[in-house]
Amino acid sequence: MSSADLEAATALKVQGNKAFAEHEWPTAVEFYTQAIAKYDHEPSFFSNRAQAHIKLESYGFAVADATKALELDSSYIKAYWRRALANTAILNYKDALKDFKAVVKREPNNRDAKLKLAECEKLVRRLEFEKAIEVSDPPSAFEELDIDAIKVDDNYDGVKLGNEMTQEFIDDMIERFKNGKKIHRKYAFQIIKAVNDLVYAEPTMVEIGVDKGTHLTVCGDTHGQFFDLLEIFRLNGYPSDTHAYLFNGDFVDRGSWSTEIALLLYAYKWLRPNRFFINRGNHETDDMNKVYGFEGECRAKYNETMFKVFSESFSSLPLATLVGNKYLVLHGGLFSDDKTSLDDIRKLNRHNQRQPGQQGLMMEMLWTDPQTEPGRGPSKRGVGMQFGPDVTKRFCENNGLEAIIRSHEVRMDGYEVEHDGRCITVFSAPKYCDSTENKGAFINIGPELKLEYRVFEAVPHPDIKPMAYAQNSILSMM
């Protein structure tokens, strides 16, 4: 490789840096990748791409790039730092700990690195403690909760909730949330208990049609961005007897109005159980909630018990929805085995396994991602795997499907149609985490089962940062 190659590659890196500064993370990755193709001996190209991958939540790719940078230069501190952040994000705290130690060793006066090292050591100790006291089959959090005995204060100024959900209560709840108020914890517990009972009784794969005179809206990740959720309803209409909604997971964590979104979605589910549907996402799980803010938010706005009952309700949620026998809607994606069928999803007893674990059908349904190359590949996230267009084609043909609809990943235009039209990603959190210049989208489906994509922009929200309730300060660096 010549000096001309290095010069051309450096120019591409500069373009990548510019795209990164403008929060155009996929474009930045493209430029860094082109730079590496021209000259693959410069560690900063890999380290910079690692940072862009972190922004895209491609933590597995970020670890690989930072590792390559360190192979080229074992003293490259930014690469240790970025690999530590990426490993922290996928809860590989022990690996992250080694890299934070490497940074502190090389920069003993780096106060921020010392703080992150101490935080990481605390996380490792907490994880070991939780593992030591873990109960294999914990009792129901609802058993020790006497909701009827909770008194609503006389000075509570909101609409009262009886034994049934009402539209009046929902309308009042929305206004309260918009104004920074809460609903009474008794009502929150009532909502969660009612919805837990409803969704527990639903099959692992809910099967629905779109009747004449009605339509269905499919939304992707909303991640605690409550004001953007209201924008969807403003633009597209609120849930009604003729307008069904399906939320495809990841409605909590990261954004700082996760309890508001969860309670609103649950309230609609209780009001219209056969017209409102919720799939579980990878962030409706304990390990994610403990790190990315939802547990901390429940504690701050309500109490620890609120998180426990939410956690139990999350494990009751269905994992997929089959729409009109044509579209399989699930949060992550497809499977490591071509033989996996819709019947396997139907037979999956999700109640035997409250958390998805590191392998198996549930983990794959919540975590996998599409790739452009045929076959299957390692996960860019460091969890699960990736599946190519041939895998999607075989699955759809074997199961009589037109396409799968999934979420789980930011798309700059809010949605993307891949794999020859058979794999559709929809993401409904615009300007994700206040740092990505993406649009949001949702999909409308009428009785003819044609897909209509609607794209929307983020709306202003009160000045509360994403991850405001996260227990892990390391992640604030991302």
Side-chain angles (χ1 to χ4, degrees), residues 150-442:
I150 301 172
K151 295 284 184 269
V152 177
D153 314 325
D154 291 337
N155 62 357
Y156 182 72
D157 60 351
V159 169
K160 306 292 192 290
L161 179 62
N163 294 323
E164 297 292 336
M165 180 53 63
T166 65
Q167 188 65 54
E168 181 191 17
F169 184 89
I170 291 177
D171 293 343
D172 177 69
M173 180 168 65
I174 290 171
E175 288 307 310
R176 294 182 72 79
F177 290 166
K178 280 163 67 174
N179 294 319
K181 294 182 176 181
K182 296 178 290 187
I183 59 170
H184 196 276
R185 62 190 174 89
K186 177 187 177 89
Y187 299 153
F189 284 133
Q190 276 184 265
I191 291 168
I192 301 165
K193 175 68 169 69
V195 172
N196 181 68
D197 292 346
L198 282 169
V199 297
Y200 189 95
E202 290 183 325
T204 296
M205 182 176 74
V206 175
E207 302 184 40
I208 61 175
V210 184
D211 298 332
K212 190 174 181 182
T214 71
H215 66 291
L216 168 72
T217 298
V218 179
C219 298
D221 303 31
T222 49
H223 272 305
Q225 296 185 195
F226 177 71
F227 294 87
D228 295 316
L229 171 64
L230 295 187
E231 179 69 357
I232 294 174
F233 291 150
R234 187 189 73 80
L235 291 169
N236 195 51
Y238 283 79
S240 71
D241 290 337
T242 58
H243 189 170
Y245 272 87
L246 164 57
F247 282 83
N248 194 28
D250 280 16
F251 45 92
V252 301
D253 278 342
R254 295 194 180 275
S256 295
W257 291 271
S258 291
T259 56
E260 286 83 358
I261 282 192
L263 288 167
L264 180 55
L265 298 187
Y266 274 26
Y268 275 125
K269 177 65 180 175
W270 189 7
L271 183 65
R272 291 189 175 84
N274 300 314
R275 307 294 301 148
F276 200 92
F277 306 95
I278 307 170
N279 287 341
R280 190 180 189 179
N282 67 300
H283 275 269
E284 281 73 54
T285 56
D286 283 0
D287 54 359
M288 294 286 110
N289 295 158
K290 288 174 187 295
V291 172
Y292 287 96
F294 185 62
E295 182 185 35
E297 186 180 335
C298 286
R299 281 178 174 167
K301 294 179 179 176
Y302 295 97
N303 56 28
E304 174 69 19
T305 305
M306 193 67 68
F307 173 67
K308 287 181 177 176
V309 293
F310 260 128
S311 167
E312 190 167 329
S313 75
F314 290 167
S315 69
S316 298
L317 290 169
L319 301 177
T321 304
L322 183 64
V323 179
N325 294 314
K326 286 181 78 169
Y327 304 108
L328 177 66
V329 185
L330 73 174
H331 182 71
L334 294 180
F335 308 97
S336 54
D337 187 347
D338 273 345
K339 295 189 181 73
T340 302
S341 68
L342 294 181
D343 272 342
D344 292 312
I345 302 173
R346 289 186 181 102
K347 292 173 192 168
L348 177 63
N349 186 346
R350 69 193 187 279
H351 302 310
N352 284 343
Q353 182 186 346
R354 284 178 57 169
Q355 303 303 322
Q358 296 296 309
Q359 57 187 10
L361 284 193
M362 185 189 294
M363 182 279 291
E364 291 176 354
M365 293 173 76
L366 298 182
W367 276 100
T368 61
D369 295 294
Q371 64 181 24
T372 54
E373 303 81 16
R376 293 175 174 87
S379 170
K380 63 187 176 186
R381 297 172 188 271
V383 183
M385 53 124 211
Q386 297 188 172
F387 57 95
D390 55 329
V391 175
T392 306
K393 180 173 186 284
R394 286 192 296 271
F395 181 82
C396 288
E397 288 177 350
N398 291 343
N399 292 280
L401 297 173
E402 194 160 304
I404 65 163
I405 298 174
R406 39 94 59 185
S407 302
H408 195 38
E409 290 181 283
V410 178
R411 289 294 189 258
M412 298 308 286
D413 292 324
Y415 75 96
E416 186 174 0
V417 181
E418 304 170 81
H419 294 186
D420 300 315
R422 292 186 175 93
C423 179
I424 297 148
T425 299
V426 59
F427 192 83
S428 305
K431 202 172 174 61
Y432 180 45
C433 289
D434 288 351
S435 65
T436 304
E437 296 302 322
N438 66 294
K439 296 180 175 66
F442 48 87

Side-chain angles (χ1 to χ4, degrees), residues 3-19 31-32 34-36 38-39 42 45:
S3 58
D5 290 327
L6 176 57
E7 191 177 330
T10 302
L12 288 163
K13 173 191 163 183
V14 169
Q15 287 182 274
N17 292 350
K18 182 172 180 289
F31 279 124
Y32 296 139
Q34 290 173 33
I36 289 165
K38 284 198 174 293
Y39 190 87
E42 171 51 50
F45 297 169

Side-chain angles (χ1 to χ4, degrees), residues 112-124:
D112 198 29
K114 284 181 178 177
L115 287 170
K116 296 294 181 281
L117 173 59
E119 176 76 16
C120 195
E121 286 173 333
K122 192 166 73 176
L123 286 165
V124 169

Side-chain angles (χ1 to χ4, degrees), residues 28-158:
V29 167
E30 285 176 25
F31 279 124
Y32 296 139
T33 302
Q34 290 173 33
I36 289 165
K38 284 198 174 293
Y39 190 87
D40 61 3
H41 286 72
E42 171 51 50
S44 68
F45 297 169
F46 291 96
S47 180
N48 285 20
R49 189 169 68 175
Q51 183 68 357
H53 280 313
I54 286 171
K55 292 293 187 183
L56 286 167
E57 299 180 18
S58 300
Y59 301 119
F61 283 0
V63 168
D65 272 348
T67 300
K68 180 64 179 176
L70 289 166
E71 287 170 5
L72 293 168
D73 180 357
S74 61
S75 65
Y76 197 19
I77 289 173
K78 278 185 180 177
Y80 283 112
W81 183 258
R82 287 165 182 170
R83 190 167 68 179
L85 292 180
N87 271 316
T88 299
I90 51 176
L91 317 186
N92 288 340
Y93 298 132
K94 288 185 177 177
D95 288 339
L97 190 61
K98 293 175 193 169
D99 284 336
F100 282 127
K101 283 179 177 175
V103 174
V104 171
K105 182 180 177 182
R106 287 163 176 79
E107 290 188 347
N109 296 321
N110 185 328
R111 186 170 170 273
D112 198 29
K114 284 181 178 177
L115 287 170
K116 296 294 181 281
L117 173 59
E119 176 76 16
C120 195
E121 286 173 333
K122 192 166 73 176
L123 286 165
V124 169
R125 285 195 300 270
R126 188 183 86 173
L127 209 64
E128 288 171 349
F129 173 74
E130 287 176 352
K131 196 170 182 182
I133 63 167
E134 189 176 5
V135 180
S136 58
D137 191 15
S140 169
F142 292 104
E143 284 177 13
E144 54 197 53
L145 180 64
D146 187 352
I147 299 174
D148 291 336
I150 301 172
K151 295 284 184 269
V152 177
D153 314 325
D154 291 337
N155 62 357
Y156 182 72
D157 60 351

